Amino acid sequence: MIDKNHCLILDEQDPLAHLRQQFTLPDGVIYLDGNSLGARPRNAGERARRVIEQEWGDGLIRSWNSAGWQKLPQRLGDRLAALIGADAGEVAITDTTSINLFKVLSAALQVQAGREPQRRVIVSESSNFPSDLYIAEGLIRMLGQGYSLRLVDSPQQLPAAIGQDTAVVMLTHVNYKSGYMHDMSEMTGAIHAAGALSIWDLAHSAGAVPVELKRSGADYAIGCTYKYLNGGPGAPAFLWVAPALCDLVPQPLSGWFGHARPFDMATHYQPGSGIVRYLCGTQPIVSLAMVECGMDIFAQTDMQSLRRKSLALSDLFIQRVEQRCAGYDLELITPRDHARRGSHVSFAHPEGYAVIQALIARGVIGDYREPGIMRFGFTPLYNCFSDVWQAVEILAQILEHKTWSQAQFQVRHSVT
Amino acid sequence: MIDKNHCLILDEQDPLAHLRQQFTLPDGVIYLDGNSLGARPRNAGERARRVIEQEWGDGLIRSWNSAGWQKLPQRLGDRLAALIGADAGEVAITDTTSINLFKVLSAALQVQAGREPQRRVIVSESSNFPSDLYIAEGLIRMLGQGYSLRLVDSPQQLPAAIGQDTAVVMLTHVNYKSGYMHDMSEMTGAIHAAGALSIWDLAHSAGAVPVELKRSGADYAIGCTYKYLNGGPGAPAFLWVAPALCDLVPQPLSGWFGHARPFDMATHYQPGSGIVRYLCGTQPIVSLAMVECGMDIFAQTDMQSLRRKSLALSDLFIQRVEQRCAGYDLELITPRDHARRGSHVSFAHPEGYAVIQALIARGVIGDYREPGIMRFGFTPLYNCFSDVWQAVEILAQILEHKTWSQAQFQVRHSVT
């Protein structure tokens, strides 16, 4: 049986332990919600100050060129590419995940319409992140013409649901609720074998697990930078398109930043070549620039090392919860199989919402998703093994004494 | 003939002069480009620091509720409403101008499809801001079904172009290049008389000229916050929908922030009631929060006072240029008529690009638009009459000595 001392030794031996110093975390908090909003890199404030005071305040309009604002979506995209198995020039950081999904889903349907126009079904999972499903619904409503969305209730049902009518399979790589992780390579192979295109939402993958977009043969990917990438609240999202598909069609949100020559101010749109055609309007520069602070920290390690520690943390958490909290109606929702697990662990409990509130009141920040699911994210950049030990101790005390029944219910709804 | 002393007296008598102290402007710069990127409010850095250090760093995920991030698009929209003749609850600050145009243009076409489906023409001006035209093209390409864009080459041609086939008329209130301002009320009346709906782009109007959306009967409006509203580089844009139209149809970028109950995490989309249905994904909170710094300054004055000073500044500029720079091939592009003039003044010159570069090198920051057009924005919050005097003196010296022919050409392209 693991004891607290063993966790302290694990922390001492942790080759990534020094990275925690690059984040600011409030005293008395064990932060297990980096899967929702990543912690603040220590240098984010200084970066923002530079953009606001020097680039905006002193440089004014000149900074679009002199401070590189104009190319920032692509320059930061180049840095992100290495973390998701893509190449420089293929990724842009821009807009929001939902809007980027609209762009790539529209593009994928256009590509199929030019090849096999009878393919008009979008396949996804009913457990996919709701906003992804809503975007597909919005696009389908707009297109009419027999397009439809087919949802399956489990990953195992996917193969049978993908057929000759399928245009696109739209999946979130790591499920936001359960933490289930698809085999991207195998699933993409099955999708292609059926003649469909794949879209991968990497919201819970980028910076959390190794991702090999190109090696797995993926077609399109989107994701956010404010979770494991620590870009800041609501920081702009990203998108990637396989080079062979990128220039086949324009995407419908065809704003001037995606034009081949935006400053010609031509009357008609002509899409640029490459990922630039997926840009649309002017980006929020201060929020965008801060994304680089997270990138700077990732540059000091690699995804394999992070994955090793992430699994060690989530293994420890599962093991300790099952030892220390046995008999308290907790049900593990997340796969035990490393190959199927992302970087967060979810347990269901009949009073899950109240228990999470009690945990937050004691400084252990996880979050809650209906029905009854408590999520705990493990971020190897700043979480340590003693954090896990301590979090489980507090969870056990809450369950033992049922202190959750008196917890103040402040926050029912927090953003993913 | 006006002399420099007269300008100094005008500055002394200016009731808005004290507001300049609320901005930081670099020494030695006369900034006449607030129509492109507004200057930095003095308190923007402090506001960003609070969001980054306290709300993000200490509050972490809890700040979605405790710091009000969740409702920030609507709360700031309520503050903007007063500046554009709308009511609280009708405006949201979110996404980009181009994306917001896609939303309202899609919605307007849906409304017409339910009423008079033969109306499938979008009317606009060939001189409209190109990104607006590109968005219309992208939407039309996606919809197919006989939708088309009809462009006229001058405002005078608009009435004849709007007919029984017209679904929507999409106009920018103040032209980005010429500074020509439409009569919103009269034009909206003509649009409605022809059975069409109106979309107004207020990019060069909000915070620049008095706007009365509701009084003029407008249907939809969009615009940006980074020009005259001083929200910061690429700060999120805004949109407004007439209450009678808002709940008639959903818009296609139907992300979870627009759902009636986003945290139910339901499988199917159900649009919220009111402007919330025009929200889509998670917003860049740091950039968004700073928009309030500009609002705080506007709250200390009113649009009538600002308009009075804006016209006095642009009148002075036109008069001085025509006196001091006579014979140097400058052609006024902007209407002399106050009722048709926004808050910037444009002159064409055969070497306009080189002249602007020479001006920037001397600290007078205006900007350039093809072909040969020099734009000078007048922002009554921080520009003064002596600024105008001095800017024209420098312009005259450049034209007289042809120093523009030796200017270093650093920046061909800057963002509108």
Side-chain angles (χ1 to χ4, degrees), chain A residues 80-95:
Chain A
L80 177 58
L83 296 181
I84 55 175
D87 288 323
E90 297 172 0
V91 177
I93 300 189
T94 188
D95 296 330

Side-chain angles (χ1 to χ4, degrees), chain A residues 8-56:
Chain A
L8 292 170
I9 292 168
L10 289 175
D11 284 337
E12 275 173 26
Q13 296 172 342
D14 174 12
L16 303 181
H18 63 289
L19 295 173
R20 185 181 173 105
Q21 300 310 317
Q22 308 216 13
F23 294 88
T24 62
L25 285 163
D27 291 340
V29 162
I30 296 174
Y31 194 58
L32 304 180
D33 211 5
N35 52 312
S36 189
L37 173 64
R40 180 199 150 204
R42 197 168 284 281
N43 61 347
E46 173 55 25
R47 180 81 175 100
R49 201 192 58 73
R50 202 170 81 218
V51 176
I52 295 167
E53 294 184 10
Q54 292 173 28
E55 299 180 7
W56 177 18

Side-chain angles (χ1 to χ4, degrees), chain A residues 259-399:
Chain A
H259 195 283
R261 294 170 305 280
F263 292 98
D264 281 7
M265 301 278 174
T267 307
H268 296 290
Y269 183 71
Q270 188 189 331
S273 177
I275 200 67
V276 71
R277 68 170 55 193
Y278 281 84
L279 300 181
C280 181
T282 311
Q283 291 303 296
I285 296 298
V286 179
S287 284
L288 179 59
M290 283 196 298
V291 172
E292 190 155 29
C293 300
M295 305 280 172
D296 288 340
I297 302 174
F298 276 94
Q300 299 167 47
T301 179
D302 61 88
M303 286 310 304
Q304 303 307 324
S305 305
L306 289 167
R307 177 61 170 166
R308 210 174 301 123
K309 182 174 170 187
S310 161
L311 285 170
L313 289 166
S314 60
D315 275 347
L316 174 67
F317 183 75
I318 293 170
Q319 190 181 356
R320 282 295 300 154
V321 168
E322 292 186 336
Q323 285 172 354
R324 188 70 176 78
C325 309
Y328 292 124
D329 273 344
L330 289 171
E331 181 197 352
L332 179 66
I333 300 294
T334 304
R336 289 177 200 277
D337 179 3
H338 284 182
R340 295 281 75 73
R341 190 196 304 166
S343 199
H344 72 269
V345 172
S346 297
F347 279 97
H349 185 274
E351 297 292 338
Y353 175 68
V355 174
I356 274 288
Q357 292 305 314
L359 278 167
I360 292 172
R362 293 279 304 269
V364 179
I365 302 183
D367 65 18
Y368 176 78
R369 287 293 176 264
E370 296 286 356
I373 292 171
M374 302 185 285
R375 297 195 307 179
F376 302 94
F378 298 96
T379 312
L381 288 173
Y382 51 79
N383 287 138
C384 64
F385 295 92
S386 325
D387 280 350
V388 173
W389 175 274
Q390 185 65 11
V392 178
E393 284 304 303
I394 293 172
L395 174 62
Q397 290 164 19
I398 288 167
L399 292 168

Side-chain angles (χ1 to χ4, degrees), chain B residues 100-122:
Chain B
N100 289 339
L101 176 58
F102 189 89
K103 297 173 188 169
V104 300
L105 186 55
S106 302
L109 294 180
Q110 281 178 75
V111 168
Q112 290 286 23
R115 290 175 175 173
E116 298 183 70
Q118 83 285 1
R119 292 183 178 270
R120 300 202 173 191
V121 174
I122 300 164

Side-chain angles (χ1 to χ4, degrees), chain A residues 24-26 29 31 33 36-41 44-45 48-49 51-53 55-62 64-65 69-70 95-96 98-99 102-103 106 110 125-126 129-131 133-139 141-143 145 149 151 176-177 226 230-236 250-257 259 261-270 280-288 290 360 363 365-367 369-370 410-416, chain B residues 24-26 29 31 33 36-41 44-45 48-49 51-53 55-62 64-65 69-70 95-96 98-99 102-103 106 110 126 129-131 133-139 141-143 145 149 151 176-177 226 230-236 250-257 259 261-271 280-288 290 360 363 365-367 369-370 410-416:
Chain A
T24 62
L25 285 163
V29 162
Y31 194 58
D33 211 5
S36 189
L37 173 64
R40 180 199 150 204
R49 201 192 58 73
V51 176
I52 295 167
E53 294 184 10
E55 299 180 7
W56 177 18
D58 293 340
L60 291 160
I61 191 66
R62 299 169 289 198
W64 278 102
N65 293 81
W69 292 350
Q70 189 70 34
D95 296 330
T96 69
S98 292
I99 283 171
F102 189 90
K103 296 173 188 169
S106 302
Q110 281 178 73
E125 296 179 88
S126 56
F129 185 62
S131 201
L133 303 180
Y134 303 161
I135 288 291
E137 288 185 328
L139 179 59
R141 194 186 317 108
M142 186 173 206
L143 292 173
Q145 302 173 56
L149 180 62
L151 300 180
Y176 79 103
K177 208 184 282 193
Y226 55 73
N230 308 299
Q251 55 88 14
L253 297 174
S254 47
W256 68 320
F257 270 70
H259 195 283
R261 294 170 305 280
F263 292 98
D264 281 7
M265 301 278 174
T267 307
H268 296 290
Y269 183 71
Q270 188 189 331
C280 181
T282 311
Q283 291 303 296
I285 296 298
V286 179
S287 284
L288 179 59
M290 283 196 298
I360 292 172
I365 302 183
D367 65 18
R369 287 293 176 264
E370 296 286 356
Q410 301 160 352
V411 186
R412 179 108 199 160
H413 299 137
S414 67
V415 169
T416 293
Chain B
T24 63
L25 285 164
V29 162
Y31 193 57
D33 211 6
S36 188
L37 173 63
R40 180 201 151 205
R49 200 192 58 73
V51 176
I52 295 167
E53 293 183 10
E55 299 180 7
W56 177 17
D58 293 340
L60 290 160
I61 190 68
R62 299 169 289 197
W64 278 102
N65 293 82
W69 292 350
Q70 189 70 36
D95 297 329
T96 68
S98 292
I99 283 170
F102 189 89
K103 297 173 188 169
S106 302
Q110 281 178 75
S126 56
F129 185 62
S131 202
L133 303 179
Y134 303 161
I135 288 292
E137 288 185 328
L139 180 58
R141 195 185 315 110
M142 186 174 206
L143 292 174
Q145 302 173 57
L149 180 61
L151 300 180
Y176 78 103
K177 207 185 281 193
Y226 54 74
N230 309 299
Q251 56 87 13
L253 297 174
S254 47
W256 69 319
F257 270 70
H259 195 282
R261 292 171 305 282
F263 292 99
D264 281 7
M265 301 276 175
T267 307
H268 297 289
Y269 183 71
Q270 188 189 331
C280 181
T282 311
Q283 292 303 296
I285 296 297
V286 180
S287 284
L288 179 59
M290 283 196 297
I360 292 172
I365 303 183
D367 65 18
R369 286 294 176 262
E370 296 285 355
Q410 301 160 354
V411 186
R412 180 111 200 157
H413 300 139
S414 67
V415 169
T416 292

Side-chain angles (χ1 to χ4, degrees), chain B residues 235-308:
Chain B
F238 66 86
L239 51 73
W240 169 84
V241 179
L245 295 169
C246 195
D247 285 358
L248 293 184
V249 294
Q251 56 87 13
L253 297 174
S254 47
W256 69 319
F257 270 70
H259 195 282
R261 292 171 305 282
F263 292 99
D264 281 7
M265 301 276 175
T267 307
H268 297 289
Y269 183 71
Q270 188 189 331
S273 177
I275 200 67
V276 71
R277 70 169 54 191
Y278 281 85
L279 300 181
C280 181
T282 311
Q283 292 303 296
I285 296 297
V286 180
S287 284
L288 179 59
M290 283 196 297
V291 172
E292 191 155 29
C293 301
M295 304 279 170
D296 288 341
I297 302 175
F298 276 93
Q300 299 167 47
T301 179
D302 61 87
M303 286 310 304
Q304 303 309 322
S305 305
L306 289 167
R307 176 61 170 167
R308 209 174 303 123

